[in-house]
Amino acid sequence: LVGKYVELKESYKSIAEAFIHAGAINDCKVKLEWIHSDGLTDDNIAETFKNLKGVLVAPGFGNRGIEGKITAIKYAREHNIPFFGICLGMQLMCSHSEENDTPCLGIFDEKVKCFPDTAGFKIPQIGWNNIFGLKTHLFSGISENAYMYFVHGYYVESCQSAIAKTDYIAEYSSALHKNNFYAVQFHPEKSGEVGQKILENFIKGEY
């Protein structure tokens, strides 16, 4: 688990517990390594990641720790490590973000855009919304139009890489997939049994 608040494990308690329960459902023990994104560099990442079987980049706001998260994503791509990104972790895998005019990693060609001011809608989107157009094993056992919990002011347009979509101001991609990369804009760790099932499916997947 790569994040910038790992010294305060309560910040990621919901993610940690979700993975522990997901492992139990799949008859395996999930051992979490807590990795501070502030300390990740090209010089130490090989040693830091040498025994990892999967990587999750945790959500977070602001610029601190971004370079370390990007380093983690690049390493996962180059070494074919199963990867799961949540919220910002998904956006960093796109080509560019309007947030601070940020060049991203380009794993997905799509750009991250800011929700436009629209009458009747609050920005950021905070709360429950449904997902539809579900594809891949990540959503095995998940019903169309299941509700997930979102907190974000930026979005990825609907695209071919989308394995789930959501409608808020406009239809957008709420989950992406390519090769060993899975990413979601919503927060599965805050989305009850449905979110738990998604994490179970990620752990169970064959990579």
Side-chain angles (χ1 to χ4, degrees):
L1 191 156
V2 179
K4 58 183 177 180
Y5 308 122
V6 294
E7 71 276 16
L8 303 171
K9 290 185 171 58
E10 290 294 314
S11 299
Y12 302 125
K13 183 177 180 180
S14 55
I15 296 177
E17 291 187 351
F19 266 112
I20 290 169
H21 288 297
I25 293 296
N26 285 295
D27 294 321
C28 66
K29 183 177 181 180
V30 175
K31 181 182 178 182
L32 282 177
E33 296 286 342
W34 300 83
I35 299 172
H36 206 302
S37 59
D38 275 351
L40 273 182
T41 66
D42 291 335
D43 294 331
N44 65 22
I45 191 164
E47 178 66 22
T48 304
F49 277 25
K50 66 179 181 180
N51 294 318
L52 299 186
K53 304 301 182 182
V55 177
L56 180 144
V57 167
F61 296 95
N63 292 330
R64 184 171 70 85
I66 290 293
E67 290 185 4
K69 291 182 177 182
I70 290 174
T71 299
I73 297 170
K74 287 171 61 179
Y75 190 87
R77 176 175 60 183
E78 293 165 358
H79 294 81
N80 202 35
I81 300 174
F83 181 92
F84 196 90
I86 297 176
C87 197
L88 178 62
M90 170 173 143
Q91 295 176 4
L92 289 174
M93 287 187 272
C94 295
S95 62
H96 180 271
S97 175
E98 290 184 356
E99 185 171 8
N100 299 318
D101 190 25
T102 304
C104 300
L105 287 168
I107 293 168
F108 302 103
D109 293 333
E110 287 67 35
K111 296 180 179 180
V112 179
K113 298 186 176 183
C114 182
F115 280 124
D117 289 331
T118 304
F121 291 89
K122 293 183 178 180
I123 303 171
Q125 176 186 200
I126 300 177
W128 297 87
N129 204 342
N130 63 316
I131 56 175
F132 54 87
L134 308 182
K135 302 175 183 177
T136 78
H137 84 278
L138 194 69
F139 295 104
S140 177
I142 306 297
S143 300
E144 282 283 323
N145 293 305
Y147 277 82
M148 309 300 293
Y149 190 78
F150 291 81
V151 182
H152 64 118
Y154 293 81
Y155 70 99
V156 178
E157 289 184 312
S158 183
C159 63
Q160 290 186 342
S161 298
I163 55 174
K165 298 179 182 180
T166 297
D167 196 333
Y168 190 82
I169 300 178
E171 183 179 284
Y172 66 88
S173 300
S174 49
L176 300 172
H177 169 243
K178 183 177 182 180
N179 300 328
N180 55 308
F181 285 93
Y182 291 85
V184 296
Q185 184 61 66
F186 52 82
H187 290 259
E189 79 283 4
K190 298 181 182 296
S191 299
E193 292 182 0
V194 178
Q196 180 71 48
K197 178 62 175 174
I198 290 170
L199 294 176
E200 290 172 13
N201 289 341
F202 175 71
I203 290 176
K204 190 176 182 179
E206 297 181 1
Y207 303 98

